[in-house]
Amino acid sequence: MTASRLATGGSAIDRSRPIRFSFDGATVHGFAGDTIASALLAGDVAVVGRSFKYHRPRGIWGAGVEEPNALVDIGGNVPATPNTRATTEPARDGLVAKSVNATPSALADRNAFLDRFSRFIPAAFYYKTFMWPDWHMFEPRIRAMAGLGKVDTDWTSPGTADQINHHCDLLVVGAGPAGLAAAKLASGAGLSVTLVDDQLRPGGSLGHRTSEIDGRPAAVWSEETVAELAAASHLILPSTTAFGIYDHNLVGLNQRHRDGRPDTLWRVRPRQIVLATGAIERPLPFANNDLPGIMSADAALAYLRRHAVLVGRRIVVATNNDSAYEVAEALAEAGAEVTLVDLRRDGTPATPAIVRLVKGRALASANGKLRVEGVTLDDGTRVDADCVLVSGGWTPTIHLFGQAKGKLAWSDARAAFLPGDPVDGIAVAGAAAGAVSLSEVFAGAGKAIASLGQTTTAVPRSTGAEATGGILAAWPMPGSKGRIWIDYQNDVTVKDVELAARENFVSVEHLKRYTTLGMATDQGKTSNLPGLALMAGITGRTVPEVGTTTYRPPFTPVPLASFAGARVGELMAPVRRLPLESVHRASGAVFQEYGGWLRPAHYGGGGGGDAERSIEDEARRARQSVALFDGSTLGKIEVIGPKAAEFVDFIYYNTMSTLKPGRCRYGFMLSENGVVFDDGVLVRLDEHRFVVSCSSSHVTAVHARLEEWRQDRFGRGAVYIHNATAEMATLTVSGPNARKLLETLDLGLSLADADLPHMAVGHGTYAGDEVRIARVSFTGDRSYEISIRADRAEPLWAHLRQAGQAFDTVVIGLEALMILRAEKGFIVIGKDTDGTTLPHDLGVEGPRAKRQSEFVGRRSLFTEEASRGDRIQLVGLIVPFGEAPLPTGAHGIRRSGGRLRSQGFVTSSYQSPALGRPVALGLIERGAARHGETIEIQHLGKVRTATIAAPCAFDPAGDRLHA
């Protein structure tokens, strides 16, 4: 390969603005408008990287996102970014580029010796080797060699990435001839259009393929069309990739900036979509087809006409289709000596006299070591060359169509998969739909707009020479001699695919994972179809019978910063605040974060005071008289509608539809795997209206869960979900004198036990505002939860504080509440449960045994795992008299054969002021059947003993609920 920059030409570069950057420590010169790849080619840099597994030298293959080889880490005066494609990254003055997977450089990689051992490390070798004597002996070194790119440990964020939500009538993906024509027609139909393209300049193939449109050069027509769309206020986004289509045709766009700003993430919700995403040129199969200097023919033409880079002086162009003929002619006119080798004997286009044509021959192998030096044809003829350009046909870029659940159809005429049955709201045009000539492209664009129900004006006309689409399929063949590469990025050869077939990994999904074919950042853009065709040949099937792998987003890598956007710190997890926060602070509250809420941990004891003593004092006084607690964080999610009762039955483990209006019931929600997801009280206000009072830290998750199941099984007319948590404050009054304190408020309802019994709800007023009073308890004492409008809570709280002075009222924080609930054996989900806890592990067996109707998680409660006899179950733990509380997280241990085995762990542990001793809860194997048994508890090497007991340690009869 002897590439060079021509003295003239180059539509993309500005020769008045020279730039200089470094690659692997060497200085590279270029011009503004160059990519890193075009500047490297202009400087005749052949080896730009090393292959993933064998560390073979690799050169530039393509000119865009299809590039599998030229990955670089960039830094210097630009934000440090690993694994950047040199073909899409603009070259900038002062940029520092470093080849990946090479030490110290791509040209002199010290790990190149690995290629000598290639026969011992074929596909999936890691599944079969390094097993003896122990994988962990080899793992550190293997992991150190794995992966591409290097993270800059000194990296600093260039700032917050923007995220934009956008709506339009039509989104056109791709600004080549098909996309521009579709956008132009849609604009004429009165639609609002968003046009996106991953290139800096719209036009696509019009930027380097000779054509004429409506009597004007294609480049002029392209510029005029873009200007016309911009003047009509349509949105045009260059340097923007549509990386994924999601549910309801939500399209994700990644917009790159060239001024140092982070990429912008666009979430576009168009009414309709046109995919004009083009096609990618495929390689040809021959031995050593991965040598530097072997390139895509179309990429070479792009470098010539856009960057004035002639990729070689003695060039072999190998093809099986018509598209390479223009390439050969252009390179010859630029001064190269060109030999065109066409696999076909007949039906080839006219060849200019300045190009030597060899018909009916294929390349057998490429010759050279660090760069290609020539080729050998299948008849043994050797042709010297410093560059080999190949065109094995075109693969339509139908990734987005596949992501939208579109089905593909095989075309023998195009030797490729094309879009099959249409998808609602999505049309495909241009090369992505199999079009070759501009006339086909424009006709397809018109049909695409018409298929979306739009009336089209006259479509553009091709008035110049037309491309032709003749092709003779050239696939890798089983049993081929030499090392023929299918996937350049992942070092997958013909022999690797044959090995996969021998070991029965013939499914395309298994083939992909066994060989890594089509994985990583490349995602098989150049390799998938040749790999599928080879598997078809090995197994005696057709390519469509083999099928394709699943197309998944993103189409190209998207920076994580784009997905994160401004969601960092409090914007990621905003601190939720109580309506009465300022009041609590004025009362000396010490705040801590609990489940995303900033809440009073205790009152007093801060600033060097004795916090533990303050907490115990709050818990003690709460049992003696009356306590006030701000429970506004409790969930208040309303479920409303004619099928609300059926809905809550399905959501809850317990049967809830039998609950009478004005009554409450405690229950569990389960995940689909049967694990306890949340607990809390359900309030039934009337026949068709419930309030889900979920735990504070789970409000958001429970709301999302309810909405998900509503959408899945019930219409909005049957059930409506409304999260009123932020609208209402909830003030809790608990203790022996709770009723007496409330009676001083004149709430307009009877508090007598006959009228408002435990687990009932009533309605009254305070200062003209409606209040809801639920008689539920998380302390085990008589308790009332008063819910009022959040903006009216402060006067009520002040009245409670003032009236409570006569009853020695104490205001308690969450830490004291945790002691009170632990004394009663009441659980906190996520603290006294883990990701395996099922409801019967907590002693709630009834619904599992008796319920016949379906509910979330029901089937998972009867699996072999759920029925194990040694499951860990909720218990209380009592330590010997006079000992300190058990450490939370300490393990219950069992000694067996001189070894220790965990049989559970402590989940909650406190010193109980009411009992004068520690109390603890835990999950212990078969705990429910082992009450009275003493076990050993170990923590940080120290072993203690504890006796298993019932979870409830205080007032087990529940008399204090009615005191």
Side-chain angles (χ1 to χ4, degrees):
M1 185 177 191
T2 311
S4 60
R5 178 91 68 181
L6 300 180
T8 60
S11 61
I13 60 173
D14 182 354
R15 294 178 185 265
S16 67
R17 295 167 56 198
I19 61 171
R20 184 172 61 182
F21 65 95
S22 71
F23 173 73
D24 278 354
T27 299
V28 181
H29 296 272
F31 297 106
D34 265 323
T35 63
I36 294 175
S38 65
L40 290 174
L41 283 171
D44 195 30
V45 178
V47 182
V48 298
R50 290 282 171 164
S51 66
F52 174 66
K53 186 163 61 174
Y54 301 130
H55 284 255
R56 285 175 63 88
R58 291 285 162 80
I60 293 167
W61 156 264
V65 298
E66 76 281 2
E67 174 58 42
N69 298 331
L71 300 179
V72 294
D73 294 343
I74 63 172
N77 63 354
V78 299
T81 308
N83 288 334
T84 300
R85 278 186 171 83
T87 51
T88 60
E89 185 65 26
R92 282 164 280 187
D93 204 49
L95 178 145
V96 176
K98 175 74 171 65
S99 58
V100 304
N101 207 42
T103 306
S105 68
L107 188 60
D109 180 24
R110 68 170 60 111
N111 290 315
F113 72 91
L114 288 171
D115 192 39
R116 302 175 186 174
F117 299 92
S118 59
R119 61 177 298 184
F120 302 108
I121 48 176
F125 75 96
Y126 30 79
Y127 296 131
K128 309 169 189 176
T129 53
F130 307 116
M131 298 296 107
W132 184 90
D134 186 354
W135 155 253
H136 295 96
M137 291 178 59
F138 308 99
E139 182 182 16
R141 180 58 181 157
I142 291 175
R143 291 200 181 279
M145 295 181 66
L148 299 175
K150 184 177 181 181
V151 174
D152 182 0
T153 56
D154 297 324
W155 179 87
T156 56
S157 172
T160 300
D162 290 332
Q163 294 184 342
I164 300 175
N165 294 301
H166 179 68
H167 295 259
C168 59
D169 293 329
L170 180 68
L171 172 67
V172 180
V173 181
L180 289 173
K184 182 182 178 73
L185 294 172
S187 176
L191 302 183
S192 62
V193 179
T194 297
L195 176 65
V196 304
D197 193 86
D198 61 0
Q199 299 295 315
L200 177 63
R201 295 185 178 184
S205 63
L206 300 180
H208 61 278
R209 291 279 179 174
T210 301
S211 51
E212 183 182 278
I213 303 170
D214 290 339
R216 301 187 299 281
V220 174
W221 176 86
S222 175
E223 291 175 358
E224 291 176 350
T225 301
V226 171
E228 177 185 322
L229 293 171
S233 299
H234 299 295
L235 180 62
I236 302 173
L237 296 176
S239 300
T240 301
T241 300
F243 61 81
I245 295 183
Y246 300 86
D247 291 346
H248 312 296
N249 284 351
L250 167 65
V251 183
L253 309 179
N254 185 61
Q255 182 183 21
R256 297 173 304 283
H257 303 289
R258 296 173 181 248
D259 55 5
R261 286 182 295 155
D263 294 2
T264 296
L265 179 73
W266 290 74
R267 287 182 287 260
V268 180
R269 292 172 172 84
R271 295 182 183 275
Q272 297 171 316
I273 302 170
V274 170
L275 300 177
T277 47
I280 293 173
E281 194 167 42
R282 296 191 296 263
L284 285 170
F286 53 92
N288 297 328
N289 60 342
D290 67 329
L291 281 177
I294 299 176
M295 296 179 59
S296 154
D298 189 69
L301 184 61
Y303 287 122
L304 175 67
R305 289 180 169 162
R306 296 184 182 190
H307 302 283
V309 174
L310 183 61
V311 294
R313 291 295 174 180
R314 290 171 298 141
I315 301 175
V316 170
V317 179
T319 188
N320 66 340
N321 66 90
D322 295 351
S323 67
Y325 278 70
E326 181 183 352
V327 178
E329 182 177 3
L331 293 171
E333 290 175 348
E337 177 187 325
V338 180
T339 299
L340 178 60
V341 180
D342 195 331
L343 181 65
R344 302 167 296 174
R345 293 186 179 277
D346 303 308
T348 60
T351 309
I354 55 175
V355 174
R356 176 193 174 205
L357 177 64
V358 179
K359 286 188 177 183
R361 300 261 67 95
L363 302 190
S365 65
N367 310 315
K369 186 175 181 182
L370 289 177
R371 58 198 304 164
V372 69
E373 298 173 359
V375 295
T376 301
L377 306 185
D378 55 2
D379 64 354
T381 302
R382 179 184 170 103
V383 180
D384 290 336
D386 59 8
C387 182
V388 176
L389 306 180
V390 297
S391 178
W394 294 83
T395 301
T397 306
I398 37 73
H399 297 67
L400 295 177
F401 182 78
Q403 291 172 18
K405 310 302 182 187
K407 302 300 182 182
L408 305 181
W410 178 255
S411 168
D412 284 323
R414 296 287 182 259
F417 283 105
L418 302 180
D421 295 335
V423 175
D424 288 344
I426 298 178
V428 186
V436 176
S437 68
L438 274 182
S439 294
E440 293 174 343
V441 166
F442 292 144
K447 290 180 181 178
I449 297 299
S451 72
L452 298 175
Q454 305 301 323
T455 301
T456 61
T457 55
V459 299
R461 293 183 307 109
S462 172
T463 53
E466 291 274 75
T468 54
I471 185 172
L472 175 64
W475 305 120
M477 299 300 293
S480 299
K481 295 181 179 180
R483 300 172 72 186
I484 300 174
W485 261 260
I486 306 295
D487 189 321
Y488 295 141
Q489 186 168 104
N490 296 295
D491 268 341
V492 180
T493 67
V494 167
K495 289 182 171 57
D496 290 323
V497 178
E498 291 174 328
L499 176 60
R502 287 200 302 272
E503 300 200 1
N504 204 34
F505 290 96
V506 294
S507 161
V508 289
E509 298 291 357
H510 294 164
L511 170 67
K512 176 177 180 177
R513 285 149 184 84
Y514 183 84
T515 63
T516 69
L517 174 68
M519 295 178 69
T521 61
D522 178 60
Q523 286 296 297
K525 293 178 177 64
T526 60
S527 61
N528 264 2
L529 195 50
L532 301 178
L534 175 57
M535 179 58 76
I538 295 170
T539 57
R541 295 178 289 173
T542 63
V543 176
E545 286 173 338
V546 171
T548 65
T549 54
T550 302
Y551 293 98
R552 297 184 177 92
F555 174 66
T556 54
V558 179
L560 294 177
S562 295
F563 289 117
R567 292 175 296 175
V568 296
E570 286 199 19
L571 294 178
M572 173 62 183
V575 176
R576 290 173 284 183
R577 299 179 182 274
L578 296 169
L580 299 181
E581 179 180 330
S582 60
V583 175
H584 296 309
R585 290 191 182 277
S587 300
V590 177
F591 279 78
Q592 293 182 15
E593 187 269 333
Y594 298 92
W597 289 92
L598 199 61
R599 306 174 66 181
H602 53 87
Y603 294 79
D610 192 337
E612 185 175 341
R613 181 175 299 176
S614 296
I615 293 167
E616 290 187 8
D617 182 63
E618 291 173 15
R620 179 184 299 104
R621 293 175 60 191
R623 293 290 189 205
Q624 293 171 347
S625 180
V626 61
L628 300 179
F629 174 74
D630 190 341
S632 301
T633 60
L634 287 170
K636 293 170 278 286
I637 305 174
E638 297 192 14
V639 179
I640 309 166
K643 290 191 176 182
E646 180 184 343
F647 178 76
V648 295
D649 267 354
F650 178 72
I651 289 295
Y652 277 91
Y653 174 59
N654 320 57
T655 298
M656 294 297 190
S657 59
T658 56
L659 189 62
K660 295 180 179 180
R663 291 293 187 265
C664 315
R665 183 171 294 164
Y666 174 78
F668 290 150
M669 292 184 190
L670 309 183
S671 298
E672 290 89 335
N673 59 5
V675 170
V676 178
F677 178 78
D678 191 55
D679 71 337
V681 169
L682 181 71
V683 179
R684 188 167 197 172
L685 299 180
D686 59 39
E687 183 180 1
H688 302 305
R689 187 180 181 192
F690 296 81
V691 177
V692 177
S693 181
C694 55
S695 55
S696 301
S697 61
H698 288 169
V699 173
T700 302
V702 168
H703 181 214
R705 180 184 185 81
L706 295 177
E707 185 61 36
E708 178 182 5
W709 283 113
R710 182 203 66 75
Q711 293 182 24
D712 184 72
R713 295 175 65 93
F714 300 85
R716 195 178 290 276
V719 177
Y720 183 79
I721 310 296
H722 173 61
N723 185 2
T725 304
E727 301 170 15
M728 306 285 286
T730 299
L731 310 179
T732 302
V733 183
S734 175
N737 290 321
R739 175 176 164 183
K740 294 179 182 178
L741 174 57
L742 283 192
E743 286 174 339
T744 67
L745 299 184
D746 188 21
L747 296 174
L749 80 164
S750 172
L751 299 176
D753 287 354
D755 298 318
L756 190 65
H758 181 57
M759 298 302 282
V761 63
H763 293 81
T765 59
Y766 175 79
D769 293 310
E770 182 180 346
V771 295
R772 183 171 66 229
I773 304 175
R775 190 172 164 191
V776 296
S777 177
F778 195 46
T779 65
D781 288 329
R782 175 187 289 269
S783 297
Y784 301 87
E785 293 181 355
I786 310 170
S787 295
I788 189 171
R789 274 178 47 176
D791 60 341
R792 305 296 175 87
E794 187 172 345
L796 176 57
W797 180 260
H799 195 160
L800 287 169
R801 290 289 307 271
Q802 182 180 12
Q805 293 177 6
F807 303 100
D808 190 27
T809 297
V810 61
V811 181
I812 67 172
L814 194 62
E815 293 300 320
L817 182 66
M818 290 296 101
I819 295 176
L820 300 177
R821 67 91 192 169
E823 291 172 342
K824 289 293 297 179
F826 296 158
I827 63 170
V828 173
I829 301 298
K831 180 175 178 61
D832 299 299
T833 66
D834 65 10
T836 66
T837 304
L838 305 179
H840 48 281
D841 298 331
L842 303 174
V844 186
E845 173 72 25
R848 177 175 181 253
K850 298 177 182 178
R851 277 196 69 174
Q852 298 300 313
S853 59
E854 192 60 70
F855 57 88
V856 176
R858 180 173 181 267
R859 283 174 287 182
S860 297
L861 301 182
F862 299 94
T863 63
E864 181 179 351
E865 173 66 21
S867 304
R868 276 184 22 236
D870 61 347
R871 294 189 59 82
I872 54 176
Q873 299 171 327
L874 180 68
V875 297
L877 295 168
I878 302 175
V879 301
F881 180 78
E883 289 194 4
L886 294 168
T888 300
H891 279 258
I893 58 172
R894 181 185 296 276
R895 300 179 186 274
S896 177
R899 303 184 67 181
L900 301 182
R901 183 181 68 82
S902 174
Q903 55 176 330
F905 51 93
V906 179
T907 61
S908 296
S909 182
Y910 306 92
Q911 179 68 31
S912 167
L915 296 172
R917 64 172 177 82
V919 295
L921 299 175
L923 293 171
I924 302 295
E925 285 182 3
R926 300 180 294 105
R930 298 169 65 186
H931 289 187
E933 180 181 334
T934 299
I935 63 173
E936 289 185 310
I937 304 289
Q938 177 177 280
H939 182 69
L940 300 178
K942 184 177 180 180
V943 178
R944 298 172 56 183
T945 61
T947 301
I948 299 175
C952 181
F954 180 79
D955 186 30
D959 296 332
R960 293 177 64 95
L961 286 171
H962 312 286

